[in-house]
Amino acid sequence: MSDLLYSEEEEALRAAVRDLLTDHCDTASVLARAESDAPHDPALWKTLADGMGLAGLLVPEDRGGQGATHREAAVVLEELGRAVAPVPYLTSAVVATEALLACADGGDLLDGLASGRVIGALAVGLHTAPGAAYATVRADGSVLHGELAGIADAAVADVLLVPADDGGLYAVTADVVTVTPQTSLDLTRPLARVTLDAAPGRRVGDAGPAVRRALRAGAGLLASEQLGAAEWALTETVRYLKDRKQFNRPVGGFQALKHRLAQLWLEVVSLRAAARAAADALATGEDTDVSVAVAQAYAAPVAVRAAEEALQLHGGIGMTWEHPVHLRLKRAKADSIAYGTAGAHREALAELVDLRAP
């Protein structure tokens, strides 16, 4: 097992991303976008992808990327989760990119994704766990027919990677499909229905291994996004309880609340360990399936609880639309079924370590 502590380079990367998000992704702007028809922030995405080169972290240098690892991508996702940044980083720079890395004929597309000039989306429902069955469309030669639902960030994708019933993964440009928004709890990561009516596609590889690889990386690195949101919830709640006074003393001084915060701190620290282990396993290829299943089995309940505790412990102000805690709660709830539920990952883990239920 590698050293799971953050390296100096990873901490420097975190500081740079956090500074950028502090300046360009404040709560008021995220809320304003969430209430509009265009929740994504293209200017922020351009800065992250083009200015900082973060879209190509997982792409080898000889294929146009940065040649970094999942550990660095995890640090970026922690900060994006902390800010609930409305950018398609997980869906394009991780999931779609990993799918293309498993394909033989996606080199030109990979260049575009690595530079951030092209946004990609894997046309598999966001709820799909690694290894689970997924919907496909009908392939008639290189022409595709069908409908796929629950596709995250399809609204901003330039190219969709579509699995077909012939076992192929097809690259389809967004201008030949119909994207219909679906109601989503998380306003910062919208879902959509994608309809292909005789849409021309280009086969880039085999869908089976590409989708499995992409969803495994998505599930593993999602834990880092959940960690970022949970840490924000804990930090902001502690800060508020130090300032808020009741009976002429800080609310945080009451023992019952101290116990709740201490318990939450323990859970968040454990989540950090699980998320780091998953990112490291993805980077090294050691015990990857087990580490990803452990991280996702643990991450969702902790992230949701952290956001719920933040909401309650902020009292009346936490229940208002203007307070940013609801953005984290919705993201945590939506993430709790993304790339498989905690229960699905526990079942997968039981199979992997040969401890099935009787």
Short mmCIF file of all heavy atoms in Angstrom, two decimals, residues 330-354:
data_model
loop_
_atom_site.label_atom_id
_atom_site.label_comp_id
_atom_site.label_asym_id
_atom_site.label_seq_id
_atom_site.Cartn_x
_atom_site.Cartn_y
_atom_site.Cartn_z
N LYS A 330 -28.37 18.37 -1.17
CA LYS A 330 -28.90 17.82 -2.43
C LYS A 330 -27.81 17.08 -3.20
O LYS A 330 -28.06 16.01 -3.77
CB LYS A 330 -29.49 18.95 -3.29
CG LYS A 330 -30.79 19.51 -2.73
CD LYS A 330 -31.17 20.78 -3.44
CE LYS A 330 -32.39 21.42 -2.80
NZ LYS A 330 -32.62 22.79 -3.27
N ARG A 331 -26.61 17.64 -3.22
CA ARG A 331 -25.49 16.95 -3.88
C ARG A 331 -25.20 15.62 -3.18
O ARG A 331 -25.00 14.59 -3.83
CB ARG A 331 -24.25 17.84 -3.90
CG ARG A 331 -22.94 17.18 -4.37
CD ARG A 331 -22.98 16.73 -5.82
NE ARG A 331 -23.04 17.81 -6.77
CZ ARG A 331 -21.97 18.42 -7.31
NH1 ARG A 331 -20.76 18.06 -6.95
NH2 ARG A 331 -22.14 19.38 -8.20
N ALA A 332 -25.20 15.63 -1.85
CA ALA A 332 -24.91 14.40 -1.10
C ALA A 332 -25.98 13.35 -1.34
O ALA A 332 -25.67 12.15 -1.52
CB ALA A 332 -24.79 14.71 0.39
N LYS A 333 -27.25 13.76 -1.36
CA LYS A 333 -28.34 12.80 -1.61
C LYS A 333 -28.27 12.25 -3.03
O LYS A 333 -28.46 11.05 -3.25
CB LYS A 333 -29.70 13.47 -1.37
CG LYS A 333 -30.02 13.79 0.07
CD LYS A 333 -30.21 12.54 0.92
CE LYS A 333 -31.58 11.93 0.74
NZ LYS A 333 -31.78 10.78 1.67
N ALA A 334 -27.99 13.12 -4.00
CA ALA A 334 -27.88 12.65 -5.39
C ALA A 334 -26.67 11.74 -5.55
O ALA A 334 -26.73 10.70 -6.22
CB ALA A 334 -27.78 13.85 -6.33
N ASP A 335 -25.55 12.12 -4.92
CA ASP A 335 -24.34 11.29 -4.99
C ASP A 335 -24.54 9.93 -4.33
O ASP A 335 -23.85 8.96 -4.66
CB ASP A 335 -23.16 11.99 -4.31
CG ASP A 335 -22.52 13.06 -5.20
OD1 ASP A 335 -22.94 13.19 -6.37
OD2 ASP A 335 -21.60 13.76 -4.73
N SER A 336 -25.47 9.85 -3.38
CA SER A 336 -25.65 8.60 -2.63
C SER A 336 -26.21 7.48 -3.51
O SER A 336 -26.13 6.30 -3.14
CB SER A 336 -26.55 8.81 -1.41
OG SER A 336 -27.89 9.03 -1.81
N ILE A 337 -26.78 7.83 -4.68
CA ILE A 337 -27.22 6.78 -5.62
C ILE A 337 -26.41 6.82 -6.91
O ILE A 337 -26.64 6.02 -7.81
CB ILE A 337 -28.73 6.88 -5.94
CG1 ILE A 337 -29.09 8.25 -6.53
CG2 ILE A 337 -29.58 6.60 -4.71
CD1 ILE A 337 -30.50 8.31 -7.09
N ALA A 338 -25.44 7.72 -7.00
CA ALA A 338 -24.61 7.80 -8.22
C ALA A 338 -23.59 6.66 -8.23
O ALA A 338 -22.97 6.36 -7.21
CB ALA A 338 -23.90 9.15 -8.28
N TYR A 339 -23.43 6.06 -9.40
CA TYR A 339 -22.48 4.94 -9.58
C TYR A 339 -22.70 3.82 -8.57
O TYR A 339 -21.75 3.18 -8.13
CB TYR A 339 -21.03 5.46 -9.55
CG TYR A 339 -20.80 6.57 -10.54
CD1 TYR A 339 -20.44 7.85 -10.12
CD2 TYR A 339 -20.99 6.36 -11.90
CE1 TYR A 339 -20.27 8.88 -11.04
CE2 TYR A 339 -20.83 7.39 -12.83
CZ TYR A 339 -20.47 8.64 -12.39
OH TYR A 339 -20.32 9.67 -13.31
N GLY A 340 -23.96 3.59 -8.22
CA GLY A 340 -24.31 2.50 -7.32
C GLY A 340 -24.56 2.99 -5.91
O GLY A 340 -23.85 3.86 -5.42
N THR A 341 -25.56 2.43 -5.25
CA THR A 341 -25.85 2.79 -3.86
C THR A 341 -24.83 2.15 -2.93
O THR A 341 -24.11 1.22 -3.31
CB THR A 341 -27.25 2.30 -3.46
OG1 THR A 341 -27.27 0.87 -3.58
CG2 THR A 341 -28.34 2.90 -4.35
N ALA A 342 -24.82 2.62 -1.68
CA ALA A 342 -23.94 2.00 -0.68
C ALA A 342 -24.26 0.52 -0.53
O ALA A 342 -23.36 -0.32 -0.41
CB ALA A 342 -24.10 2.73 0.66
N GLY A 343 -25.56 0.18 -0.58
CA GLY A 343 -25.96 -1.23 -0.48
C GLY A 343 -25.42 -2.07 -1.62
O GLY A 343 -24.95 -3.20 -1.42
N ALA A 344 -25.47 -1.53 -2.84
CA ALA A 344 -24.94 -2.25 -4.00
C ALA A 344 -23.44 -2.49 -3.86
O ALA A 344 -22.93 -3.57 -4.20
CB ALA A 344 -25.23 -1.47 -5.28
N HIS A 345 -22.74 -1.50 -3.32
CA HIS A 345 -21.29 -1.66 -3.14
C HIS A 345 -20.97 -2.63 -2.00
O HIS A 345 -19.97 -3.35 -2.07
CB HIS A 345 -20.64 -0.29 -2.93
CG HIS A 345 -20.54 0.51 -4.18
ND1 HIS A 345 -19.59 0.29 -5.14
CD2 HIS A 345 -21.31 1.52 -4.66
CE1 HIS A 345 -19.76 1.13 -6.15
NE2 HIS A 345 -20.81 1.88 -5.87
N ARG A 346 -21.82 -2.67 -0.98
CA ARG A 346 -21.62 -3.66 0.09
C ARG A 346 -21.80 -5.08 -0.45
O ARG A 346 -21.05 -6.00 -0.10
CB ARG A 346 -22.57 -3.40 1.27
CG ARG A 346 -22.11 -2.27 2.18
CD ARG A 346 -22.88 -2.28 3.49
NE ARG A 346 -24.28 -1.94 3.31
CZ ARG A 346 -24.77 -0.70 3.32
NH1 ARG A 346 -23.96 0.32 3.52
NH2 ARG A 346 -26.05 -0.48 3.16
N GLU A 347 -22.81 -5.26 -1.32
CA GLU A 347 -23.02 -6.57 -1.94
C GLU A 347 -21.82 -6.96 -2.80
O GLU A 347 -21.36 -8.10 -2.77
CB GLU A 347 -24.29 -6.55 -2.79
CG GLU A 347 -25.57 -6.62 -1.98
CD GLU A 347 -26.80 -6.70 -2.87
OE1 GLU A 347 -26.68 -7.20 -4.01
OE2 GLU A 347 -27.87 -6.27 -2.42
N ALA A 348 -21.32 -5.99 -3.57
CA ALA A 348 -20.16 -6.25 -4.42
C ALA A 348 -18.95 -6.61 -3.57
O ALA A 348 -18.18 -7.53 -3.89
CB ALA A 348 -19.85 -5.02 -5.29
N LEU A 349 -18.80 -5.90 -2.45
CA LEU A 349 -17.67 -6.15 -1.56
C LEU A 349 -17.76 -7.56 -0.95
O LEU A 349 -16.76 -8.28 -0.85
CB LEU A 349 -17.64 -5.10 -0.45
CG LEU A 349 -16.49 -5.16 0.56
CD1 LEU A 349 -15.14 -5.01 -0.14
CD2 LEU A 349 -16.67 -4.09 1.62
N ALA A 350 -18.97 -7.96 -0.57
CA ALA A 350 -19.16 -9.29 0.00
C ALA A 350 -18.74 -10.37 -1.00
O ALA A 350 -18.11 -11.37 -0.62
CB ALA A 350 -20.63 -9.47 0.40
N GLU A 351 -19.06 -10.17 -2.26
CA GLU A 351 -18.63 -11.13 -3.30
C GLU A 351 -17.12 -11.13 -3.45
O GLU A 351 -16.49 -12.18 -3.55
CB GLU A 351 -19.28 -10.76 -4.64
CG GLU A 351 -20.78 -11.02 -4.72
CD GLU A 351 -21.09 -12.51 -4.81
OE1 GLU A 351 -20.29 -13.26 -5.40
OE2 GLU A 351 -22.12 -12.92 -4.26
N LEU A 352 -16.54 -9.92 -3.45
CA LEU A 352 -15.10 -9.80 -3.70
C LEU A 352 -14.27 -10.45 -2.60
O LEU A 352 -13.21 -11.02 -2.86
CB LEU A 352 -14.71 -8.31 -3.82
CG LEU A 352 -15.17 -7.61 -5.10
CD1 LEU A 352 -15.06 -6.09 -4.94
CD2 LEU A 352 -14.32 -8.07 -6.29
N VAL A 353 -14.73 -10.36 -1.36
CA VAL A 353 -13.94 -10.92 -0.24
C VAL A 353 -14.53 -12.25 0.25
O VAL A 353 -14.12 -12.76 1.29
CB VAL A 353 -13.82 -9.91 0.94
CG1 VAL A 353 -13.14 -8.65 0.48
CG2 VAL A 353 -15.21 -9.58 1.52
N ASP A 354 -15.50 -12.78 -0.52
CA ASP A 354 -16.06 -14.09 -0.24
C ASP A 354 -16.72 -14.16 1.14
O ASP A 354 -16.51 -15.09 1.90
CB ASP A 354 -14.98 -15.18 -0.37
CG ASP A 354 -15.60 -16.55 -0.68
OD1 ASP A 354 -16.72 -16.57 -1.22
OD2 ASP A 354 -14.97 -17.57 -0.36
#
